[in-house]
Amino acid sequence: MVVEQSNNAVLLKRERELAYYILFRLVICLGLLVISVLSLFNNPDQLSASKPQFYFAAGVLSFMAISAGLAPKYANRPGFLWVQMIVDAVFVSALVSAEGFQSPLFVLYSINIIAAVRLLPAMGVLWVAILDAFSFICVGIYGFSTEMDWIQNQPDILIYTQFVFRIFGLLLVGFLSMNLAARHAETQQSLFAQVRRVQKLSQQHERLLKRLPIAMLLVDKGRIYFQNTQAFNFFGEVQHRLIIDIFPKIDERWEQNWQHEGGIWLLEVRCIDLDVERQVFLVEDVSQLREMESRSLREVRMAAVGRLAASLAHEIRNPLASLSGATQLLDQTEGSKLHAIILREVKRINELVEDFLRTSRPPELKRTFIHPERIVREVVESLSLDPRCNHLDVTMSLKEGEELVYLDEKLFRQIIWNLLLNAAHATTNGDTVQIDSNISEKMWVLTLRDTGAGIPSEQLSRIFDPFFTTRSGGTGLGLATVERIVHGHGGRVEVESEIDKGTVFYVKIPILRS
């Protein structure tokens, strides 16, 4: 493509130079015609003798008109250009022949050679010089043979010396012009090669910028003049818009949320000053990175919980076992209601320790291919018997039997149980819970939507942290356990919430083929 553009530039340049050459010839011809007409005003008696000159001028003008009409189509045909050179040589020879080789019009031979430098290759210029020299020799031979007045009035040695010098002058001009044409061609080739390299590098840089995974905006005087493909994916078409329309607050580096059709991106923006008026803005979606950082932080906290739980479990269980044994012995001997209370609370403490241990340890999965919708229905049915969920109005839209999902059935039941208990605590009488399932991008997706009180935006990022809870008496381990089990299956948990409108949990687990 770059080579084609260079060739087109050469062709257009040649057409333009040929047009200038034809125009120059036309001006000379018209000038000579005007001089002839003025001379007739002074000597009207020469009209009959001047008719051949007018016929000749008319023929030359007609040829020029035809050449001008054919130039756009044949300007790059060597034959067409050589016809122009030959006709010019004949035209100049006719003019010189009329006044003698000492005529000032002899200089038109040199102009013809110089014009060839712009229109023909280097060797072509030399051949034009030889053609003009041969034409001049023919003029001289014709003059010598007819013994014209301009020969008879000059000494022989002077005539022949001038004649030979003019021939050598034409050949010298031709030789020098050939060297000039050769150097001009080399310069043109070097220039075109440089242009092609620059254009190729420019195209490579543009392709590289467009394929960068980081969005890039180039700004000049506050207005965007370039955006790559990633920037188009983020912001759409924003070229020629003001940068403050995109980023109202500009700093050296900052993060901001960006609303799009699929949700909200967290964008990290860096501004680099190229000079006083131009800047580069590099934009990257760091939503997943921040999510990974948050998840890593939770993992660190869970590891700390694990170490704490492991160290405390042994220390707590031994006294609990002793306390439970002693209480049972007292109950057998004395039979008090307080003993039953003590045993119940000891059991509760023991279960809490077990929760700590389960939450802190990576889940040990025993996976099989099952229909998850069946498990969801069974858990919902079991939960309906729990007094804490009596107020729940649960509706389901499950696509049963579509896909087998590779799951640990016991732990999957715990996921559904904890999510429904969380919904039960967040709702009151009159609220509803909608459970849906579908397949999206090779993931089995469970959607659990409640119409409860919702979660404040400042707390959304912390709901999966262990021990974080807003419920009185809660341990803050339910959602942390859910996330840990889902991550153990290679999936992820997402949440959306709005105050007084409810909360939506998305459980996404990869579908693995059996």
Side-chain angles (χ1 to χ4, degrees), residues 225-261:
Y225 68 89
F226 174 82
Q227 65 178 125
N228 64 356
T229 304
Q230 189 68 7
F232 181 83
N233 295 336
F234 281 168
F235 311 111
E237 182 61 49
V238 294
Q239 281 192 206
H240 311 301
R241 289 181 58 185
L242 294 175
I243 191 65
I244 58 174
D245 294 341
I246 311 299
F247 305 124
K249 182 181 178 181
I250 296 177
D251 203 346
E252 184 176 347
R253 185 168 186 167
W254 74 96
E255 292 183 0
Q256 73 174 58
N257 292 325
W258 183 263
Q259 184 75 35
H260 64 101
E261 294 181 357

mmCIF file of all heavy atoms in Angstrom, residues 225-261:
data_model
loop_
_atom_site.group_PDB
_atom_site.id
_atom_site.type_symbol
_atom_site.label_atom_id
_atom_site.label_comp_id
_atom_site.label_asym_id
_atom_site.label_seq_id
_atom_site.Cartn_x
_atom_site.Cartn_y
_atom_site.Cartn_z
ATOM 1 N N TYR A 225 -7.408 14.008 20.252
ATOM 2 C CA TYR A 225 -7.216 13.856 18.804
ATOM 3 C C TYR A 225 -6.842 12.423 18.408
ATOM 4 O O TYR A 225 -6.702 12.137 17.215
ATOM 5 C CB TYR A 225 -6.160 14.842 18.290
ATOM 6 C CG TYR A 225 -4.750 14.594 18.751
ATOM 7 C CD1 TYR A 225 -3.893 13.764 18.021
ATOM 8 C CD2 TYR A 225 -4.245 15.191 19.894
ATOM 9 C CE1 TYR A 225 -2.601 13.535 18.441
ATOM 10 C CE2 TYR A 225 -2.951 14.977 20.320
ATOM 11 C CZ TYR A 225 -2.134 14.144 19.587
ATOM 12 O OH TYR A 225 -0.842 13.913 19.996
ATOM 13 N N PHE A 226 -6.663 11.529 19.378
ATOM 14 C CA PHE A 226 -6.412 10.119 19.052
ATOM 15 C C PHE A 226 -6.893 9.247 20.192
ATOM 16 O O PHE A 226 -6.751 9.593 21.363
ATOM 17 C CB PHE A 226 -4.919 9.860 18.819
ATOM 18 C CG PHE A 226 -4.589 8.402 18.618
ATOM 19 C CD1 PHE A 226 -4.760 7.800 17.385
ATOM 20 C CD2 PHE A 226 -4.143 7.621 19.679
ATOM 21 C CE1 PHE A 226 -4.482 6.461 17.208
ATOM 22 C CE2 PHE A 226 -3.859 6.282 19.515
ATOM 23 C CZ PHE A 226 -4.025 5.703 18.267
ATOM 24 N N GLN A 227 -7.500 8.103 19.841
ATOM 25 C CA GLN A 227 -7.867 7.082 20.824
ATOM 26 C C GLN A 227 -7.646 5.721 20.199
ATOM 27 O O GLN A 227 -7.921 5.510 19.010
ATOM 28 C CB GLN A 227 -9.327 7.238 21.274
ATOM 29 C CG GLN A 227 -10.353 6.999 20.181
ATOM 30 C CD GLN A 227 -11.782 7.104 20.677
ATOM 31 O OE1 GLN A 227 -12.564 7.870 20.146
ATOM 32 N NE2 GLN A 227 -12.138 6.310 21.675
ATOM 33 N N ASN A 228 -7.132 4.775 20.987
ATOM 34 C CA ASN A 228 -6.930 3.436 20.452
ATOM 35 C C ASN A 228 -8.187 2.592 20.660
ATOM 36 O O ASN A 228 -9.207 3.061 21.163
ATOM 37 C CB ASN A 228 -5.693 2.781 21.082
ATOM 38 C CG ASN A 228 -5.856 2.563 22.581
ATOM 39 O OD1 ASN A 228 -6.845 2.964 23.180
ATOM 40 N ND2 ASN A 228 -4.868 1.926 23.190
ATOM 41 N N THR A 229 -8.096 1.326 20.239
ATOM 42 C CA THR A 229 -9.273 0.449 20.268
ATOM 43 C C THR A 229 -9.797 0.246 21.683
ATOM 44 O O THR A 229 -11.009 0.248 21.916
ATOM 45 C CB THR A 229 -8.916 -0.914 19.641
ATOM 46 O OG1 THR A 229 -8.418 -0.697 18.320
ATOM 47 C CG2 THR A 229 -10.150 -1.814 19.574
ATOM 48 N N GLN A 230 -8.877 0.072 22.631
ATOM 49 C CA GLN A 230 -9.311 -0.147 24.008
ATOM 50 C C GLN A 230 -10.025 1.076 24.561
ATOM 51 O O GLN A 230 -11.006 0.952 25.302
ATOM 52 C CB GLN A 230 -8.093 -0.498 24.881
ATOM 53 C CG GLN A 230 -8.427 -0.961 26.284
ATOM 54 C CD GLN A 230 -9.113 -2.313 26.304
ATOM 55 O OE1 GLN A 230 -9.232 -2.974 25.282
ATOM 56 N NE2 GLN A 230 -9.599 -2.730 27.451
ATOM 57 N N ALA A 231 -9.556 2.269 24.191
ATOM 58 C CA ALA A 231 -10.231 3.500 24.632
ATOM 59 C C ALA A 231 -11.627 3.582 24.026
ATOM 60 O O ALA A 231 -12.572 4.053 24.666
ATOM 61 C CB ALA A 231 -9.407 4.718 24.246
ATOM 62 N N PHE A 232 -11.761 3.118 22.781
ATOM 63 C CA PHE A 232 -13.095 3.094 22.158
ATOM 64 C C PHE A 232 -14.014 2.120 22.904
ATOM 65 O O PHE A 232 -15.205 2.393 23.082
ATOM 66 C CB PHE A 232 -12.978 2.696 20.689
ATOM 67 C CG PHE A 232 -14.285 2.673 19.958
ATOM 68 C CD1 PHE A 232 -14.832 3.833 19.441
ATOM 69 C CD2 PHE A 232 -14.984 1.483 19.803
ATOM 70 C CE1 PHE A 232 -16.046 3.822 18.783
ATOM 71 C CE2 PHE A 232 -16.192 1.446 19.136
ATOM 72 C CZ PHE A 232 -16.725 2.625 18.628
ATOM 73 N N ASN A 233 -13.459 0.971 23.340
ATOM 74 C CA ASN A 233 -14.267 0.019 24.102
ATOM 75 C C ASN A 233 -14.738 0.611 25.426
ATOM 76 O O ASN A 233 -15.836 0.302 25.893
ATOM 77 C CB ASN A 233 -13.462 -1.258 24.353
ATOM 78 C CG ASN A 233 -13.143 -2.007 23.074
ATOM 79 O OD1 ASN A 233 -13.837 -1.856 22.073
ATOM 80 N ND2 ASN A 233 -12.088 -2.796 23.083
ATOM 81 N N PHE A 234 -13.904 1.434 26.037
ATOM 82 C CA PHE A 234 -14.262 2.052 27.320
ATOM 83 C C PHE A 234 -15.260 3.194 27.152
ATOM 84 O O PHE A 234 -16.305 3.226 27.797
ATOM 85 C CB PHE A 234 -13.003 2.587 28.018
ATOM 86 C CG PHE A 234 -12.194 1.531 28.720
ATOM 87 C CD1 PHE A 234 -10.923 1.813 29.183
ATOM 88 C CD2 PHE A 234 -12.686 0.254 28.913
ATOM 89 C CE1 PHE A 234 -10.158 0.851 29.832
ATOM 90 C CE2 PHE A 234 -11.942 -0.717 29.552
ATOM 91 C CZ PHE A 234 -10.677 -0.417 30.006
ATOM 92 N N PHE A 235 -14.923 4.137 26.260
ATOM 93 C CA PHE A 235 -15.651 5.413 26.221
ATOM 94 C C PHE A 235 -16.480 5.622 24.958
ATOM 95 O O PHE A 235 -17.219 6.610 24.874
ATOM 96 C CB PHE A 235 -14.657 6.588 26.344
ATOM 97 C CG PHE A 235 -13.694 6.444 27.478
ATOM 98 C CD1 PHE A 235 -12.347 6.223 27.253
ATOM 99 C CD2 PHE A 235 -14.133 6.522 28.789
ATOM 100 C CE1 PHE A 235 -11.451 6.093 28.289
ATOM 101 C CE2 PHE A 235 -13.244 6.381 29.841
ATOM 102 C CZ PHE A 235 -11.906 6.171 29.589
ATOM 103 N N GLY A 236 -16.355 4.714 23.966
ATOM 104 C CA GLY A 236 -17.003 4.970 22.684
ATOM 105 C C GLY A 236 -16.195 5.985 21.881
ATOM 106 O O GLY A 236 -15.018 6.214 22.146
ATOM 107 N N GLU A 237 -16.813 6.572 20.892
ATOM 108 C CA GLU A 237 -16.143 7.561 20.046
ATOM 109 C C GLU A 237 -16.045 8.900 20.769
ATOM 110 O O GLU A 237 -17.054 9.566 21.008
ATOM 111 C CB GLU A 237 -16.924 7.734 18.734
ATOM 112 C CG GLU A 237 -16.288 8.714 17.766
ATOM 113 C CD GLU A 237 -14.907 8.271 17.333
ATOM 114 O OE1 GLU A 237 -14.741 7.112 16.937
ATOM 115 O OE2 GLU A 237 -13.983 9.105 17.423
ATOM 116 N N VAL A 238 -14.818 9.283 21.154
ATOM 117 C CA VAL A 238 -14.625 10.531 21.908
ATOM 118 C C VAL A 238 -13.611 11.457 21.237
ATOM 119 O O VAL A 238 -13.239 12.474 21.816
ATOM 120 C CB VAL A 238 -14.165 10.232 23.351
ATOM 121 C CG1 VAL A 238 -15.246 9.530 24.132
ATOM 122 C CG2 VAL A 238 -12.873 9.409 23.359
ATOM 123 N N GLN A 239 -13.156 11.121 20.022
ATOM 124 C CA GLN A 239 -12.214 12.008 19.342
ATOM 125 C C GLN A 239 -12.859 13.368 19.094
ATOM 126 O O GLN A 239 -14.054 13.462 18.782
ATOM 127 C CB GLN A 239 -11.745 11.395 18.023
ATOM 128 C CG GLN A 239 -10.672 10.349 18.218
ATOM 129 C CD GLN A 239 -10.002 9.951 16.913
ATOM 130 O OE1 GLN A 239 -9.491 8.870 16.797
ATOM 131 N NE2 GLN A 239 -10.005 10.799 15.918
ATOM 132 N N HIS A 240 -12.032 14.404 19.230
ATOM 133 C CA HIS A 240 -12.438 15.807 19.044
ATOM 134 C C HIS A 240 -13.277 16.332 20.214
ATOM 135 O O HIS A 240 -13.714 17.474 20.178
ATOM 136 C CB HIS A 240 -13.205 16.015 17.734
ATOM 137 C CG HIS A 240 -12.531 15.407 16.543
ATOM 138 N ND1 HIS A 240 -11.252 15.764 16.155
ATOM 139 C CD2 HIS A 240 -12.933 14.450 15.666
ATOM 140 C CE1 HIS A 240 -10.921 15.066 15.091
ATOM 141 N NE2 HIS A 240 -11.910 14.257 14.774
ATOM 142 N N ARG A 241 -13.490 15.509 21.232
ATOM 143 C CA ARG A 241 -14.183 16.000 22.417
ATOM 144 C C ARG A 241 -13.173 16.539 23.428
ATOM 145 O O ARG A 241 -11.983 16.214 23.387
ATOM 146 C CB ARG A 241 -15.004 14.879 23.064
ATOM 147 C CG ARG A 241 -16.224 14.455 22.270
ATOM 148 C CD ARG A 241 -16.992 13.356 22.982
ATOM 149 N NE ARG A 241 -17.417 13.770 24.319
ATOM 150 C CZ ARG A 241 -18.016 12.961 25.189
ATOM 151 N NH1 ARG A 241 -18.252 11.695 24.845
ATOM 152 N NH2 ARG A 241 -18.365 13.393 26.373
ATOM 153 N N LEU A 242 -13.666 17.375 24.350
ATOM 154 C CA LEU A 242 -12.796 17.897 25.399
ATOM 155 C C LEU A 242 -12.525 16.807 26.431
ATOM 156 O O LEU A 242 -13.423 16.027 26.782
ATOM 157 C CB LEU A 242 -13.445 19.111 26.065
ATOM 158 C CG LEU A 242 -13.619 20.355 25.182
ATOM 159 C CD1 LEU A 242 -14.394 21.423 25.946
ATOM 160 C CD2 LEU A 242 -12.274 20.898 24.711
ATOM 161 N N ILE A 243 -11.305 16.775 26.947
ATOM 162 C CA ILE A 243 -10.929 15.751 27.914
ATOM 163 C C ILE A 243 -11.696 15.922 29.225
ATOM 164 O O ILE A 243 -11.969 14.943 29.928
ATOM 165 C CB ILE A 243 -9.404 15.767 28.152
ATOM 166 C CG1 ILE A 243 -8.974 14.529 28.963
ATOM 167 C CG2 ILE A 243 -8.975 17.042 28.843
ATOM 168 C CD1 ILE A 243 -9.181 13.229 28.261
ATOM 169 N N ILE A 244 -12.076 17.157 29.552
ATOM 170 C CA ILE A 244 -12.810 17.370 30.810
ATOM 171 C C ILE A 244 -14.209 16.774 30.735
ATOM 172 O O ILE A 244 -14.854 16.584 31.766
ATOM 173 C CB ILE A 244 -12.884 18.875 31.166
ATOM 174 C CG1 ILE A 244 -13.560 19.661 30.045
ATOM 175 C CG2 ILE A 244 -11.514 19.422 31.466
ATOM 176 C CD1 ILE A 244 -13.781 21.122 30.394
ATOM 177 N N ASP A 245 -14.698 16.486 29.510
ATOM 178 C CA ASP A 245 -15.985 15.800 29.393
ATOM 179 C C ASP A 245 -15.876 14.355 29.865
ATOM 180 O O ASP A 245 -16.870 13.758 30.284
ATOM 181 C CB ASP A 245 -16.480 15.832 27.942
ATOM 182 C CG ASP A 245 -16.812 17.240 27.475
ATOM 183 O OD1 ASP A 245 -17.013 18.103 28.351
ATOM 184 O OD2 ASP A 245 -16.853 17.466 26.256
ATOM 185 N N ILE A 246 -14.668 13.788 29.776
ATOM 186 C CA ILE A 246 -14.445 12.399 30.186
ATOM 187 C C ILE A 246 -13.968 12.341 31.633
ATOM 188 O O ILE A 246 -14.468 11.548 32.439
ATOM 189 C CB ILE A 246 -13.418 11.724 29.260
ATOM 190 C CG1 ILE A 246 -13.775 11.961 27.788
ATOM 191 C CG2 ILE A 246 -13.341 10.229 29.565
ATOM 192 C CD1 ILE A 246 -15.108 11.415 27.389
ATOM 193 N N PHE A 247 -12.986 13.189 31.952
ATOM 194 C CA PHE A 247 -12.414 13.207 33.298
ATOM 195 C C PHE A 247 -12.571 14.612 33.884
ATOM 196 O O PHE A 247 -11.724 15.486 33.634
ATOM 197 C CB PHE A 247 -10.929 12.827 33.269
ATOM 198 C CG PHE A 247 -10.645 11.508 32.602
ATOM 199 C CD1 PHE A 247 -9.762 11.427 31.541
ATOM 200 C CD2 PHE A 247 -11.281 10.351 33.025
ATOM 201 C CE1 PHE A 247 -9.493 10.225 30.924
ATOM 202 C CE2 PHE A 247 -11.025 9.139 32.412
ATOM 203 C CZ PHE A 247 -10.139 9.081 31.364
ATOM 204 N N PRO A 248 -13.636 14.841 34.642
ATOM 205 C CA PRO A 248 -13.842 16.192 35.204
ATOM 206 C C PRO A 248 -12.719 16.633 36.136
ATOM 207 O O PRO A 248 -12.402 17.814 36.203
ATOM 208 C CB PRO A 248 -15.170 16.044 35.965
ATOM 209 C CG PRO A 248 -15.837 14.848 35.368
ATOM 210 C CD PRO A 248 -14.737 13.930 34.966
ATOM 211 N N LYS A 249 -12.121 15.668 36.843
ATOM 212 C CA LYS A 249 -11.034 16.000 37.767
ATOM 213 C C LYS A 249 -9.771 15.287 37.304
ATOM 214 O O LYS A 249 -9.721 14.069 37.248
ATOM 215 C CB LYS A 249 -11.391 15.564 39.194
ATOM 216 C CG LYS A 249 -10.331 15.921 40.224
ATOM 217 C CD LYS A 249 -10.735 15.443 41.608
ATOM 218 C CE LYS A 249 -9.660 15.766 42.630
ATOM 219 N NZ LYS A 249 -10.022 15.283 43.985
ATOM 220 N N ILE A 250 -8.754 16.066 36.946
ATOM 221 C CA ILE A 250 -7.531 15.514 36.364
ATOM 222 C C ILE A 250 -6.375 15.699 37.341
ATOM 223 O O ILE A 250 -6.171 16.783 37.883
ATOM 224 C CB ILE A 250 -7.211 16.197 35.021
ATOM 225 C CG1 ILE A 250 -8.329 15.899 34.004
ATOM 226 C CG2 ILE A 250 -5.866 15.727 34.481
ATOM 227 C CD1 ILE A 250 -8.140 16.591 32.683
ATOM 228 N N ASP A 251 -5.646 14.598 37.544
ATOM 229 C CA ASP A 251 -4.478 14.618 38.413
ATOM 230 C C ASP A 251 -3.388 13.800 37.738
ATOM 231 O O ASP A 251 -3.564 13.316 36.610
ATOM 232 C CB ASP A 251 -4.838 14.050 39.786
ATOM 233 C CG ASP A 251 -3.881 14.532 40.875
ATOM 234 O OD1 ASP A 251 -2.820 15.069 40.511
ATOM 235 O OD2 ASP A 251 -4.211 14.380 42.068
ATOM 236 N N GLU A 252 -2.280 13.622 38.410
ATOM 237 C CA GLU A 252 -1.211 12.812 37.833
ATOM 238 C C GLU A 252 -1.609 11.339 37.774
ATOM 239 O O GLU A 252 -1.303 10.641 36.817
ATOM 240 C CB GLU A 252 0.068 12.981 38.658
ATOM 241 C CG GLU A 252 1.263 12.253 38.060
ATOM 242 C CD GLU A 252 2.537 12.512 38.823
ATOM 243 O OE1 GLU A 252 2.556 13.446 39.662
ATOM 244 O OE2 GLU A 252 3.525 11.785 38.591
ATOM 245 N N ARG A 253 -2.330 10.873 38.779
ATOM 246 C CA ARG A 253 -2.790 9.480 38.822
ATOM 247 C C ARG A 253 -3.979 9.401 39.756
ATOM 248 O O ARG A 253 -3.933 9.930 40.867
ATOM 249 C CB ARG A 253 -1.660 8.573 39.306
ATOM 250 C CG ARG A 253 -1.991 7.084 39.272
ATOM 251 C CD ARG A 253 -0.743 6.281 39.492
ATOM 252 N NE ARG A 253 -0.961 4.859 39.341
ATOM 253 C CZ ARG A 253 -0.006 3.957 39.241
ATOM 254 N NH1 ARG A 253 1.257 4.345 39.272
ATOM 255 N NH2 ARG A 253 -0.285 2.680 39.102
ATOM 256 N N TRP A 254 -5.047 8.748 39.306
ATOM 257 C CA TRP A 254 -6.232 8.626 40.147
ATOM 258 C C TRP A 254 -7.091 7.460 39.659
ATOM 259 O O TRP A 254 -6.831 6.873 38.606
ATOM 260 C CB TRP A 254 -7.040 9.930 40.126
ATOM 261 C CG TRP A 254 -7.805 10.183 38.856
ATOM 262 C CD1 TRP A 254 -9.110 9.902 38.600
ATOM 263 C CD2 TRP A 254 -7.285 10.763 37.651
ATOM 264 N NE1 TRP A 254 -9.449 10.279 37.333
ATOM 265 C CE2 TRP A 254 -8.349 10.819 36.728
ATOM 266 C CE3 TRP A 254 -6.044 11.256 37.259
ATOM 267 C CZ2 TRP A 254 -8.197 11.329 35.438
ATOM 268 C CZ3 TRP A 254 -5.898 11.768 35.989
ATOM 269 C CH2 TRP A 254 -6.961 11.803 35.100
ATOM 270 N N GLU A 255 -8.077 7.125 40.475
ATOM 271 C CA GLU A 255 -9.037 6.082 40.127
ATOM 272 C C GLU A 255 -10.439 6.668 40.165
ATOM 273 O O GLU A 255 -10.734 7.534 40.997
ATOM 274 C CB GLU A 255 -8.952 4.900 41.102
ATOM 275 C CG GLU A 255 -7.656 4.110 40.993
ATOM 276 C CD GLU A 255 -7.630 2.913 41.927
ATOM 277 O OE1 GLU A 255 -8.643 2.715 42.653
ATOM 278 O OE2 GLU A 255 -6.626 2.181 41.927
ATOM 279 N N GLN A 256 -11.276 6.202 39.249
ATOM 280 C CA GLN A 256 -12.654 6.663 39.233
ATOM 281 C C GLN A 256 -13.548 5.572 38.652
ATOM 282 O O GLN A 256 -13.099 4.727 37.866
ATOM 283 C CB GLN A 256 -12.806 7.954 38.431
ATOM 284 C CG GLN A 256 -12.701 7.793 36.921
ATOM 285 C CD GLN A 256 -13.001 9.103 36.204
ATOM 286 O OE1 GLN A 256 -12.354 10.111 36.428
ATOM 287 N NE2 GLN A 256 -14.008 9.078 35.341
ATOM 288 N N ASN A 257 -14.815 5.589 39.060
ATOM 289 C CA ASN A 257 -15.785 4.644 38.534
ATOM 290 C C ASN A 257 -16.308 5.136 37.195
ATOM 291 O O ASN A 257 -16.479 6.337 36.980
ATOM 292 C CB ASN A 257 -16.950 4.469 39.514
ATOM 293 C CG ASN A 257 -16.534 3.761 40.788
ATOM 294 O OD1 ASN A 257 -15.689 2.873 40.755
ATOM 295 N ND2 ASN A 257 -17.106 4.159 41.909
ATOM 296 N N TRP A 258 -16.561 4.190 36.285
ATOM 297 C CA TRP A 258 -17.106 4.528 34.970
ATOM 298 C C TRP A 258 -18.309 3.626 34.686
ATOM 299 O O TRP A 258 -18.187 2.414 34.674
ATOM 300 C CB TRP A 258 -16.040 4.361 33.891
ATOM 301 C CG TRP A 258 -16.527 4.756 32.529
ATOM 302 C CD1 TRP A 258 -17.006 3.941 31.554
ATOM 303 C CD2 TRP A 258 -16.588 6.087 32.006
ATOM 304 N NE1 TRP A 258 -17.353 4.665 30.461
ATOM 305 C CE2 TRP A 258 -17.116 5.988 30.704
ATOM 306 C CE3 TRP A 258 -16.262 7.339 32.518
ATOM 307 C CZ2 TRP A 258 -17.316 7.114 29.898
ATOM 308 C CZ3 TRP A 258 -16.461 8.449 31.714
ATOM 309 C CH2 TRP A 258 -16.976 8.335 30.432
ATOM 310 N N GLN A 259 -19.441 4.246 34.467
ATOM 311 C CA GLN A 259 -20.685 3.506 34.233
ATOM 312 C C GLN A 259 -20.732 3.032 32.787
ATOM 313 O O GLN A 259 -20.442 3.783 31.855
ATOM 314 C CB GLN A 259 -21.888 4.421 34.521
ATOM 315 C CG GLN A 259 -23.234 3.728 34.400
ATOM 316 C CD GLN A 259 -23.529 2.822 35.583
ATOM 317 O OE1 GLN A 259 -23.156 3.134 36.702
ATOM 318 N NE2 GLN A 259 -24.186 1.714 35.335
ATOM 319 N N HIS A 260 -21.082 1.776 32.568
ATOM 320 C CA HIS A 260 -21.282 1.252 31.216
ATOM 321 C C HIS A 260 -22.466 0.301 31.244
ATOM 322 O O HIS A 260 -23.090 0.081 32.288
ATOM 323 C CB HIS A 260 -20.016 0.539 30.720
ATOM 324 C CG HIS A 260 -19.647 -0.679 31.520
ATOM 325 N ND1 HIS A 260 -19.919 -1.950 31.114
ATOM 326 C CD2 HIS A 260 -19.036 -0.790 32.720
ATOM 327 C CE1 HIS A 260 -19.484 -2.811 32.013
ATOM 328 N NE2 HIS A 260 -18.941 -2.131 33.003
ATOM 329 N N GLU A 261 -22.794 -0.259 30.079
ATOM 330 C CA GLU A 261 -24.006 -1.074 29.972
ATOM 331 C C GLU A 261 -23.938 -2.307 30.866
ATOM 332 O O GLU A 261 -24.945 -2.760 31.390
ATOM 333 C CB GLU A 261 -24.210 -1.490 28.516
ATOM 334 C CG GLU A 261 -24.515 -0.313 27.590
ATOM 335 C CD GLU A 261 -24.734 -0.774 26.164
ATOM 336 O OE1 GLU A 261 -24.580 -1.991 25.912
ATOM 337 O OE2 GLU A 261 -25.057 0.072 25.312
#
